[in-house]
Every structure is written in C-alpha cells, then in structure tokens.
Amino acid sequence: MEEVELVCTDASALVEAIGSLAVRGAPLLGIAGAYGVALAAARGFDVPEAAQALEGARPTAVNLSVGVRRALAAYEAELAGSGEPAAAAEAALAAARALHRQDAEASARMAAHGLALLGELLPGGGHRILTHCNTGALVSGGEGTAFAVALAAHREGRLRRLWVDETRPLLQGARLTAYEAARNGMAYTLLTDNAAGSLFAAGEVDAVLIGADRIAADGSVANKVGSYPLAVLARHHQVPFIVVAPLTTIDMATPDGAAIEVEQRAGFEVTEVMALQAQVTGAGGGIPVAPLGTQAYNPAFDVTPPELVTAIVTEEGVVSPVTGEALAEMCAAATG
C-alpha cells in the first residue's frame, strides 16, 4: 500500500475526484469543498457556478455543503465590500484554512471525549472495538473521528483489538483503515462485513465506533452502508454503539432520517471487484464477479435511528441519550 497525492488544478477536477471517491470522508469533503471555492476564485473561474458543482458532487455528506458555503460567503462578502476579485479569493482561502484548522482541533477534542466515554462505559480497559469504513487521518484535517478515539485508546494502552470491517463494496476498511491501523502500530484484525454477527455472538466486541456523513435533527445517523446492521447487532448484544462526528456533521435543517438523501451509486461497484479503484488509477475495469447485465442495489449509505445510538461524540462533548432536544442544545451552546 502507498499514499499518492492527487493534485487538482481546478474545481472541475476536484468535483471529479469527489465523485470517484478519491476525496472522501465527511470532514475532508468539507475542507476540500472550501478549498475548491478558493481555487476557483484564484483561477478566475465563475465562483458561484463552481460552488454549485462542488456542493452537488455528493448529496449525503452535509460537511461538503458546509465547507463550500463558508468559503463562498467569505468570497462574496469581500467582493461586495472591496470589489476586488483578488481580495475576495484571499478571503475564500482564509475561510478554507480556518475550517481546516478547526477540523484538526475538533478531531483532537473528539478523541479526548470519546476516550473518556469508553472509560465510563467499559471501566475494565482492554477495549475490543469494531469500526466500519474509514474515519482516520485520511478523511480529516487531524487524526479523524471514530478512528481517532481508537487511536487514543491505543496510545493509552487501552486498545486490545481493533476489528476492521472491510466495508463492501469499495473496501475502505480493508484498503484504508487497515493501512492506518498498521501505520500506527495498532493491534487490528480485518473481517468481512458479514462476519460481524459471529463476533458479537462470541462476545468479542466491547464497543462499536463509527463516523457519520449527516446527523439529522432527531439524531438519526447517515453513515457508510452497513452501519445500520451493526447498530441492530449491537443493541441485541447490549454493546455500546457510538457515533463520533464534528458539529459540522449535524444538520438541524434535516428533521429526521427519512429526510436524508441517500446517494445511490453505480451498479458496477458491486458487480466488479475493485472497479472504481481501477478507473481512478487508469487501470481499466475491475474483475467481474456477477453475470453480465446483473442489476445491483448500491446505496452508499444507510440511516441508523437515534434509539439505536448509545451516544454521539462531538468536539463539544457527548450526547447520550441521543435526542433532538439534546442535539439542539449542544449546537446552540456552540454557536452562542
């Protein structure tokens, strides 16, 4: 495995990178969206048009629109005041850098709050944590969301095992989370998504930690598809199911889980192994695993209702039990 830098020289290239998942993960999408607006402004492109394209690149992760709108607001405010496009471009860049810095700070604070919560819920130590998809430094301005909590536990000598769902169909767990765990010297084991139930049944999971792409006002959580079944398993086996996400992921304008738009992706991601990765790297198509013409159901996300969520960890603290009123209070306190 290796890390490769992808250089996007204009907003359209960034839109393509977001759509192909070369840039992915809720916090990083917000940061990238803000920088995309700044890039369009610096290159002299139509900034509102670029912002619209960026915001529409993926519909479920609210952080993307948050980042785009922050940078666009800074750009338009400066342009209205000074009338200088160059100064407006600098304002957009400053807004993007501020969001980047805030996300790194939020990551560290979420790790601290999450570690304290694990100590309360699992006082014995030696945590065995199951995670899904990728929530580390590859999707954040800092060390991530859910992964940052597991990493903090590892550094404190409190992580016995990190169970890593491979995360079908695009294998973000196998390709990315396992890579980050190995790079940090963590004790980890990779499993197929459909093996998680046997882990719970054997009593091998102490807590589930996931991230989020959008949290509705009632506490419903949209995250990588496969998260909802883990929540059901966790409830049945009386295992804490913890969501770790920055406040920018909470969307008070989305009333409940039914109002969250779930992105539907192309069927070839299911019918071919490593299909998207092959396209991104220019290696052609993936390896077919189903008959030609097979239809595939491929939602990128699913939605977990608040009653299955033990706690939501943000940079401002922990919400538990998860209710719309508690989320609203936290958001109001943070902005007030």
Side-chain angles (χ1 to χ4, degrees):
M1 298 288 288
E2 61 178 352
E3 289 187 30
V4 178
E5 290 188 5
L6 175 64
V7 179
C8 296
T9 57
D10 56 45
S12 61
L14 182 55
V15 169
E16 182 177 349
I18 291 171
S20 68
L21 275 67
V23 178
R24 47 158 298 280
L28 184 60
L29 285 173
I31 296 168
Y35 278 123
V37 172
L39 177 61
R43 296 291 301 274
F45 294 150
D46 186 317
V47 176
E49 181 179 305
Q52 184 177 14
L54 286 163
E55 193 171 352
R58 297 194 72 190
T60 303
V62 70
N63 302 66
L64 178 58
S65 61
V66 168
V68 168
R69 292 174 186 179
R70 283 193 187 181
L72 180 62
Y75 171 85
E76 291 180 337
E78 177 60 36
L79 189 64
S82 68
E84 296 291 336
E90 284 294 326
L93 180 58
R97 286 173 171 164
L99 181 62
H100 193 165
R101 182 176 63 255
Q102 290 162 8
D103 184 72
E105 294 168 352
S107 177
R109 292 163 65 187
M110 285 186 289
H113 290 309
L115 186 61
L117 177 63
L118 286 178
E120 294 174 10
L121 297 175
L122 309 170
H127 311 320
R128 296 165 300 176
I129 295 171
L130 173 64
T131 191
H132 190 69
C133 200
N134 177 242
T135 57
L138 294 173
V139 303
S140 169
E143 292 186 318
T145 55
F147 185 87
V149 177
L151 183 56
H154 164 67
R155 288 171 176 163
E156 292 285 328
R158 292 163 54 184
L159 180 68
R160 179 176 167 189
R161 178 66 48 181
L162 182 66
W163 298 110
V164 180
D165 270 356
E166 62 178 353
T167 317
R168 294 281 184 174
L170 300 181
L171 306 176
Q172 294 98 326
R175 294 185 298 110
L176 306 176
T177 302
Y179 169 74
E180 291 193 306
R183 182 174 61 180
N184 285 283
M186 302 165 73
Y188 74 96
T189 300
L190 182 68
L191 62 143
T192 61
D193 296 356
N194 55 4
S198 63
L199 270 186
F200 281 98
E204 292 291 331
V205 181
D206 297 315
V208 180
L209 289 177
I210 67 165
D213 287 83
R214 187 184 298 251
I215 299 173
D218 72 337
S220 296
V221 175
N223 192 54
K224 180 58 58 182
V225 66
S227 299
Y228 173 54
L230 292 181
V232 175
L233 282 166
R235 175 55 58 90
H236 179 74
H237 291 280
Q238 299 182 324
V239 170
F241 183 87
I242 301 167
V243 176
V244 186
L247 285 179
T248 50
T249 304
I250 300 173
D251 181 15
M252 299 306 294
T254 298
D256 52 35
I260 298 175
E261 180 182 357
V262 174
E263 177 186 357
Q264 300 290 327
R265 295 189 62 84
F268 74 83
E269 295 178 356
V270 175
T271 60
E272 300 176 20
V273 175
M274 301 301 287
L276 190 61
Q277 291 78 2
Q279 284 195 352
V280 170
T281 60
I287 303 170
V289 293
L292 184 66
T294 297
Q295 294 186 0
Y297 172 63
N298 189 22
F301 307 95
D302 57 26
V303 178
T304 299
E307 57 267 24
L308 294 182
V309 180
T310 305
I312 294 176
V313 178
T314 77
E315 68 269 35
E316 296 299 328
V318 177
V319 173
S320 182
V322 177
T323 65
E325 293 78 9
L327 282 177
E329 288 177 9
M330 175 174 283
C331 291
T335 56

